[in-house]
Amino acid sequence: MSTAPDQPVQPPRPTADACPADVNAAVGEAARAPRGRADACPGALRLHTADDGALARVRVPGGALGAAQAERLGEAARRFGDGDVHLTSRGNVQLRGLAAGCGAELAQLLGAAGLLPSAAHERVRNVVASPLSGLDGQGHLDVGGWLRELDGLLCGSAAAAALSGRFLFALDDGRGDVAALGPDVTLRAAPDGTALLRVGRNPALRLPAADAPRAALLAAEGFLAAATPDGGGEPTAWRVADLPDRGAALTADLAGRLTAPPATTAAPPAASPAGTRGEAAHTAPTVPPAIGPIPHPAAPGGPLALSVLAPLGRLTPDQWRALCALAARTPAAQLRLTPWRGAVVPGVPADRARAELAALAAAGLVTDPGSPWVGVSACAGRPGCAKSLADVRADAAALVHPAPGDAEPSRPTPGSGEPGDTQPEGTQPGSGEPGGTTPRPLPVHWSGCSRACGRPRTPDRVEVVATSNGYRVDLFRTGAPLRSAHPRPADLAATVAAARRGAPTE
């Protein structure tokens, strides 16, 4: 049932506290000072004014979309915006270049598609989930049930509507992929069939898996109580790390209320976002889905999941149509957006997988693990962002596909291409020799300013940051800056390539 408002929604002017890039905000070592104003994160009903028009952020819990819903999102992008579907670092969707005054029509379209189950909660449905859960046999639990229940509980909680648009839930099936994205509340499936509940970076609590979604909501409501000590008004904290004790008292309270003992095996530390205090001491690698066809080991010859990336997280109308059409041809009629700006389509018949993957590649999506696009990301940059000092997307693309005569950046060694091919962090398949691995380039993120919106959460990475005097190239190891360089434009490609190999940048 649609809950779209009857009146047009006027987009506010951006403020210093707006978060147009859907960045997982800081989870620093030291608590922040209380927030002085309300959170201004955009949503589908509260638009953000950017230099290229209004911007809407549509929350997609767990990245899970029905094929019909996905088609409606594409329609919204074409009717009201720049035509493209922009993926965020939380697996949400942004629509950019929206026409002035389109708020009411956009809300009606999204509501009819089932993408706004509660207008009051549309900005707080920030939930990431393991994209391959239930598809590749790697996790301890298919978290789809958790996802549906938690979303329903969130939308049914009047208190939860006060959460900021930055507060993040993570549902991890045990593989550790989304648990490493710096969530505020994490549910992680354990090998013994229980669940681990974690608030910020505090010790995990063990509880029955069936109780996990309700416990996550209880944690969020407890956070709001702690963040609103006077019992009214706006919360003074947006995220768990903003609390004076970073959620320690909340964890102790939950342990008593849920009769949940501390987990005997500690959950791995959540990664701190880049550039925050304490990052080097609390990092964990993120594990994006493999690219290409992904089989389930329990069903040899059965349906496959197809995993692809969108170059720089931007899907053209033709690329989005290709994904929607493929999803519509599968029994589940579903696709899953990932926090690594990719998409997974489950249930593709094995005998059609090669042709379907070729069609996606022809549309311009990344289907080869050896593509030079793998590991390359960028913020919106110019002309869409007023704070940006450069057209970072164009500059990043120029290094991926250099003009004739320009220096070619380092390219990953192509993988074996076998279905389900995966590799440890920092390595990739070699030329087919059993067990052979070669180093793969570090992820690189291009930023138009020092905010570095949307940067990856892996502790080993390269950041290319626009300054008033050209680009600065920063190499991070274990979450800490190791080297920086300010190359001449002619040397930028070589400097970025060297940094991605882990070589000193100066």
Side-chain angles (χ1 to χ4, degrees):
M1 180 176 64
S2 172
T3 56
D6 295 327
Q7 299 300 320
V9 179
Q10 296 299 322
R13 293 297 305 172
T15 71
D17 289 326
C19 53
D22 203 12
V23 179
N24 295 340
V27 187
E29 185 67 14
R32 302 193 200 97
R35 298 295 184 180
R37 66 177 70 189
D39 170 39
C41 265
L45 302 180
R46 185 164 79 181
L47 308 186
H48 168 85
T49 301
D51 274 15
D52 58 351
L55 176 154
R57 182 173 304 149
V58 184
R59 267 64 176 190
V60 184
L65 283 171
Q69 290 180 316
E71 290 169 357
R72 297 291 275 172
L73 274 174
E75 178 187 345
R78 295 189 300 273
R79 279 181 57 187
F80 306 121
D82 63 7
D84 293 341
V85 173
H86 303 257
L87 306 185
T88 79
S89 59
R90 291 183 170 188
N92 291 321
V93 165
Q94 288 190 161
L95 306 176
R96 299 191 65 99
L98 297 174
C102 74
E105 288 183 90
L106 175 63
Q108 183 176 15
L109 187 155
L110 297 177
L115 292 166
L116 295 175
S118 170
H121 297 82
E122 63 99 2
R123 295 191 315 124
V124 307
R125 299 168 69 225
N126 291 304
V127 187
V128 292
S130 300
L132 296 180
S133 189
L135 300 179
D136 63 352
Q138 298 301 308
H140 304 309
L141 174 76
D142 184 342
V143 298
W146 280 357
L147 177 62
R148 291 185 291 273
E149 185 176 353
L150 177 59
D151 190 29
L153 290 170
L154 275 174
C155 291
S157 166
L163 289 169
S164 83
R166 306 168 190 242
F167 195 90
L168 180 64
F169 297 87
L171 308 181
D172 193 299
D173 68 1
R175 72 186 69 210
D177 53 357
V178 295
L181 295 177
D184 296 282
V185 175
T186 304
L187 294 178
R188 181 164 178 165
D192 62 359
T194 62
L196 302 179
L197 169 67
R198 195 175 192 203
V199 176
R201 288 207 298 258
N202 292 281
L205 305 175
R206 190 178 300 276
L207 65 157
D211 298 341
R214 190 163 294 277
L217 175 65
L218 189 64
E221 292 175 339
F223 160 79
L224 285 169
T228 317
D230 60 358
E234 289 287 344
T236 59
W238 292 336
R239 305 201 62 187
V240 166
D242 295 336
L243 297 175
D245 66 350
R246 308 191 259 326
L250 174 57
T251 298
D253 179 65
L254 289 169
R257 296 177 66 183
L258 297 169
T259 320
T264 54
T265 302
S272 298
T276 62
R277 291 167 289 184
E279 181 184 8
H282 297 276
T283 54
T286 59
V287 186
I291 299 173
I294 300 173
H296 196 296
L304 307 174
L306 297 188
S307 174
V308 299
L309 290 179
L312 301 181
R314 186 172 186 168
L315 292 126
T316 66
D318 287 344
Q319 291 168 347
W320 189 250
R321 286 191 188 99
L323 274 175
C324 293
L326 172 57
R329 292 193 293 270
T330 64
Q334 184 194 75
L335 60 87
R336 302 180 185 182
L337 307 179
T338 81
W340 297 274
R341 296 180 173 89
V344 176
V345 180
V348 178
D351 60 352
R352 283 178 23 209
R354 186 179 297 276
E356 298 286 15
L357 206 61
L360 296 179
L365 292 164
V366 178
T367 63
D368 175 8
S371 167
W373 282 112
V374 174
V376 180
S377 58
C379 70
R382 286 182 178 172
C385 177
K387 289 181 167 55
S388 181
L389 300 173
D391 186 346
V392 291
R393 290 176 178 265
D395 292 341
L399 261 65
V400 171
H401 295 299
D406 288 350
E408 178 96 24
S410 175
R411 175 188 171 118
T413 302
S416 64
E418 291 299 316
D421 190 26
T422 59
Q423 57 275 344
E425 180 74 16
T427 65
Q428 65 176 29
S431 58
E433 294 299 322
T437 60
T438 55
R440 68 180 179 188
L442 298 175
V444 58
H445 183 73
W446 292 68
S447 301
C449 71
S450 59
R451 295 187 306 166
C453 295
R455 59 187 149 194
R457 288 189 164 270
T458 181
D460 297 336
R461 64 185 183 275
V462 175
E463 295 186 11
V464 184
V465 183
T467 72
S468 59
N469 189 31
Y471 282 107
R472 187 184 73 244
V473 181
D474 300 328
L475 171 62
F476 287 75
R477 285 297 197 183
T478 63
L482 181 64
R483 297 281 192 278
S484 290
H486 217 127
R488 298 175 302 171
D491 298 329
L492 179 61
T495 303
V496 172
R500 296 192 70 191
R501 293 194 298 269
T505 53
E506 58 177 19

